Amino acid sequence: MQGTPTPWSYLLVRLLFKFVLKVFYGTIVINNADLVPVRGKPCIVCANHSNSLTDALLLVTSIPSNRRNMLRLTAKSTQFGKKTFTSWLVESAGTVPIHRRKDFEGPVDNTQAMASLIQALEAGDAVMMFPEGMSRFHPTIAPLKTGVARLASDVLSRHRDDPEFELAIVNCSITYMHRQHWRSDVLVTWHPPLILRPKDNPELLDPVNYGAIRELTSQIYRQISSGTLDSPSWNLVKLSKLAARMYAPLGTTMSLGDHVNITRIFLEAFKDANEETVSEQSSEVQSEALKVARLQADLKAYQDQLATLGIKDDRVRTFPSLSRHEILRRMIIRLSWFCLLLLISIPGLLLWIPVFITTFYAVRELKNGVMSDVFDEIAQYKLVYGLISGLGVWLCGVVLTLPFALFTVFLIPAIMWMSLRWMEDCVASFRAFFSLLRLLRAGKPALTETKRVRDGLHGRILEWATKSLGLPPDPENFFLQTGGREKGRVMSSWHSKTGYFSIKRRRKRDWNETLRPYEVEYIYPEEDS
């Protein structure tokens, strides 16, 4: 089997959105893409689903083209039949419509959709399904539907006379640092495929035991959740990120995968301590859970204190290394650098203005709906409308400079890209200036007390991380030796100095950095009870 030939529209979608995703997100880190089975081997790709169409685009662009001809997409049926650019993209890429119960009154029939997916798998294609069944802006993965396991059962049953027939389920974890913000970062982690054969998995052959379907669904959930942040609340995610930053402070040379993994380790430990079943465990387990609960409460109080002062943990960590004179000197440098970068960015920013206005109004109109229903579509709308308006700016610029079109066809996108890069450094300088200003305003007594609290918390976190969670005792040196050049300071290194001015992307010290001039505290919609 060689798989279905790649349609031109799919190639166009992949090329366009590979470009626009690299513009919208600062860094897209793809781990273990070599685990995806090669073309001709039927496989079902599964992933968590929190960012609407953007999730599908990330999966399409993260699979190497030399491994798969195409990824057969699935999407909610309400995306089809509309006179919109998004609808055209979805339909022209050979996407299979899935009818969701929440979109219709009464029962839905997906018989034709399942038949199309089975046909694609038997042709050696890869099909994509989101087992949560819907996209939602929530920190926890929804209970998985059994559709993937039932599809796998149907395919295996059709090939029960070929005991060597193989079907792979390839699970993927997508982690967005800030899914709807420009120049934020994304981690895409592929897991080892679950290989199913008629001879090895008779429990999945018709007539199938529903317990086997549930067990396979549980396996899919465990793999997906093991590579991302799966939390019952946003607050617990924030506390876990704070604990991870205190354990591995700002400036630690660490890959995005390491950063997410450490945050996930703290998150899972917090979740275990909050489990209702803890009361049924041994006294030792209860004592440890109580200790973690107290740490969690103290971290929350410290987090609130940082918010009151308007500063971040790293400023408290390094206090009082900076004198008042040194702070003022650095403020002058940051402000001067901000003004210089803003000045040289102005020509390119003029080209970006139509894009900013278009996306602003598109998202503004989107937010007129119920917030919990549309938060997951913000990035999708920014990507689509940003692409359309960006292409419009480029075409208009080429037409207006027609005598020099051979040059401007390349010069315009180059100017837009460089102005975006300069703006990243410009915003970082602006943010650093106000961070230093808030440090001055906080005053020595308040900072001294906050530092005392922080030192106590840091000691407790380090002891917990090394003795109970199995993390290395010296994270700064450990991760410096294991890699992670994507971020972090590398002192006295040419790589560190050139990386800051890299044309490709900004060298970030903090994976949570975005292209925003100031920090905004969002109140995200929680799951309805």
Side-chain angles (χ1 to χ4, degrees):
M1 295 184 290
Q2 295 300 316
T4 304
T6 311
W8 70 268
S9 54
Y10 182 90
L11 292 174
L12 176 62
V13 169
R14 191 176 191 277
L15 179 63
L16 284 177
F17 281 97
K18 191 167 188 176
F19 167 74
V20 77
L21 283 169
K22 286 184 177 293
V23 172
F24 189 83
Y25 291 111
T27 309
I28 300 175
V29 178
I30 303 171
N31 288 342
N32 307 324
D34 58 305
L35 295 176
V36 178
V38 295
R39 64 172 60 92
K41 294 187 176 181
C43 68
I44 305 173
V45 173
C46 303
N48 53 309
H49 199 20
S50 63
N51 209 7
S52 195
L53 184 60
T54 310
D55 294 330
L57 298 175
L58 271 172
L59 293 177
V60 166
T61 56
S62 67
I63 296 179
S65 57
N66 62 349
R67 298 194 70 83
R68 304 298 312 192
N69 293 352
M70 63 179 294
L71 179 60
R72 179 77 68 178
L73 308 178
T74 57
K76 58 185 178 182
S77 59
T78 53
Q79 292 271 24
F80 294 75
K82 297 180 180 179
K83 296 181 179 180
T84 64
F85 181 66
T86 303
S87 183
W88 175 81
L89 285 175
V90 169
E91 293 179 23
S92 60
T95 307
V96 177
I98 301 293
H99 294 80
R100 306 185 307 175
R101 291 182 182 177
K102 63 176 291 185
D103 297 327
F104 299 92
E105 295 182 2
V108 296
D109 183 10
N110 282 308
T111 304
Q112 183 58 47
M114 291 299 106
S116 299
L117 294 177
I118 290 173
Q119 183 180 4
L121 288 170
E122 291 181 335
D125 288 345
V127 303
M128 181 192 69
M129 297 185 72
F130 293 108
E132 288 176 89
M134 61 180 179
S135 172
R136 60 180 196 157
F137 202 94
H138 196 270
T140 188
I141 298 175
L144 303 191
K145 310 294 185 184
T146 58
V148 173
R150 286 187 284 110
L151 174 62
S153 173
D154 289 344
V155 174
L156 290 179
S157 297
R158 287 166 62 92
H159 292 267
R160 65 193 317 146
D161 295 332
D162 180 6
E164 300 298 328
F165 175 82
E166 284 190 3
L167 173 66
I169 297 180
V170 189
N171 297 312
C172 180
S173 305
I174 306 175
T175 307
Y176 299 91
M177 294 296 99
H178 297 279
R179 67 199 78 186
Q180 78 277 33
H181 291 170
W182 267 35
R183 309 307 290 165
S184 60
D185 302 309
V186 188
L187 174 67
V188 180
T189 303
W190 294 94
H191 300 284
L194 304 174
I195 304 297
L196 307 176
R197 302 183 184 90
K199 70 173 184 178
D200 298 328
N201 303 96
E203 72 280 3
L204 292 175
L205 301 181
D206 189 45
V208 64
N209 184 332
Y210 195 69
I213 296 295
R214 287 197 299 267
E215 174 56 30
L216 180 55
T217 303
S218 297
Q219 282 185 269
I220 295 170
Y221 169 79
R222 288 194 292 270
Q223 270 203 338
I224 293 175
S225 63
S226 70
T228 190
L229 305 179
D230 182 21
S231 171
S233 70
W234 292 108
N235 184 58
L236 210 56
V237 173
K238 290 165 62 178
L239 288 180
S240 301
K241 286 186 175 182
L242 176 59
R245 281 198 297 270
M246 294 179 71
Y247 166 73
L250 190 67
T252 302
T253 303
M254 180 185 297
S255 70
L256 181 56
D258 288 332
H259 172 71
V260 170
N261 186 51
I262 288 177
T263 304
R264 191 187 65 82
I265 289 174
F266 281 110
L267 175 61
E268 292 300 318
F270 283 138
K271 285 166 59 178
D272 289 342
N274 292 339
E275 288 285 343
E276 294 180 359
T277 55
V278 168
S279 60
E280 303 172 3
Q281 303 297 320
S282 66
S283 58
E284 184 179 348
V285 172
Q286 292 182 35
S287 176
E288 179 67 17
L290 182 60
K291 183 179 176 181
V292 174
R294 287 173 180 167
L295 176 60
Q296 182 179 329
D298 292 342
L299 273 174
K300 178 65 169 63
Y302 175 63
Q303 185 182 67
D304 293 341
Q305 180 63 16
L306 291 178
T308 301
L309 296 174
I311 58 178
K312 292 192 174 182
D313 174 69
D314 189 60
R315 295 296 183 188
V316 179
R317 179 178 70 92
T318 56
F319 178 80
S321 60
L322 298 180
S323 64
R324 188 178 184 86
H325 174 77
E326 178 63 17
I327 292 175
L328 289 171
R329 187 185 73 83
R330 292 192 179 191
M331 286 176 64
I332 293 172
I333 293 174
R334 299 294 190 277
L335 187 60
S336 301
W337 188 231
F338 162 74
C339 293
L340 174 63
L341 289 171
L342 182 61
L343 181 65
I344 64 176
S345 300
I346 288 176
L349 290 179
L350 294 176
L351 295 173
W352 278 106
I353 286 176
V355 179
F356 293 151
I357 292 176
T358 303
T359 54
F360 172 78
Y361 277 100
V363 173
R364 184 183 179 185
E365 289 300 314
L366 181 68
K367 288 184 177 180
N368 287 336
V370 179
M371 186 57 68
S372 60
D373 290 338
V374 299
F375 241 91
D376 65 305
E377 297 184 5
I378 290 178
Q380 167 191 321
Y381 273 69
K382 286 183 176 180
L383 286 168
V384 172
Y385 283 89
L387 173 62
I388 295 173
S389 55
L391 289 175
V393 169
W394 176 63
L395 289 173
C396 289
V398 171
V399 171
L400 292 174
T401 58
L402 203 54
F404 311 98
L406 288 177
F407 298 98
T408 55
V409 70
F410 301 107
L411 184 62
I412 290 173
I415 291 175
M416 293 180 72
W417 174 254
M418 286 311 303
S419 65
L420 181 62
R421 276 291 296 109
W422 290 329
M423 275 304 297
E424 285 187 274
D425 294 328
C426 179
V427 166
S429 297
F430 181 85
R431 187 184 289 122
F433 171 81
F434 275 95
S435 177
L436 292 167
L437 179 62
R438 288 191 291 266
L439 196 64
L440 276 181
R441 293 174 57 187
K444 188 173 182 180
L447 289 172
T448 301
E449 174 59 21
T450 308
K451 170 73 169 176
R452 183 191 66 78
V453 173
R454 199 259 179 205
D455 288 343
L457 282 172
H458 177 260
R460 292 161 64 187
I461 288 173
L462 194 60
E463 179 184 12
W464 181 42
T466 55
K467 292 184 178 180
S468 300
L469 304 183
L471 293 172
D474 187 3
E476 293 187 78
N477 286 328
F478 176 82
F479 291 109
L480 179 63
Q481 295 171 5
T482 57
R485 283 191 169 186
E486 295 95 335
K487 182 194 75 70
R489 58 172 176 260
V490 186
M491 302 303 291
S492 303
S493 167
W494 177 250
H495 176 268
S496 177
K497 295 177 176 61
T498 57
Y500 186 85
F501 300 101
S502 170
I503 294 176
K504 185 178 179 181
R505 65 181 180 224
R506 171 176 166 75
R507 180 186 61 80
K508 298 181 179 181
R509 294 179 64 220
D510 184 359
W511 281 115
N512 293 288
E513 180 183 325
T514 66
L515 185 59
R516 297 189 69 89
Y518 52 85
E519 301 296 332
V520 177
E521 185 70 19
Y522 281 97
I523 301 176
Y524 295 122
E526 295 290 349
E527 180 70 0
D528 296 332
S529 58

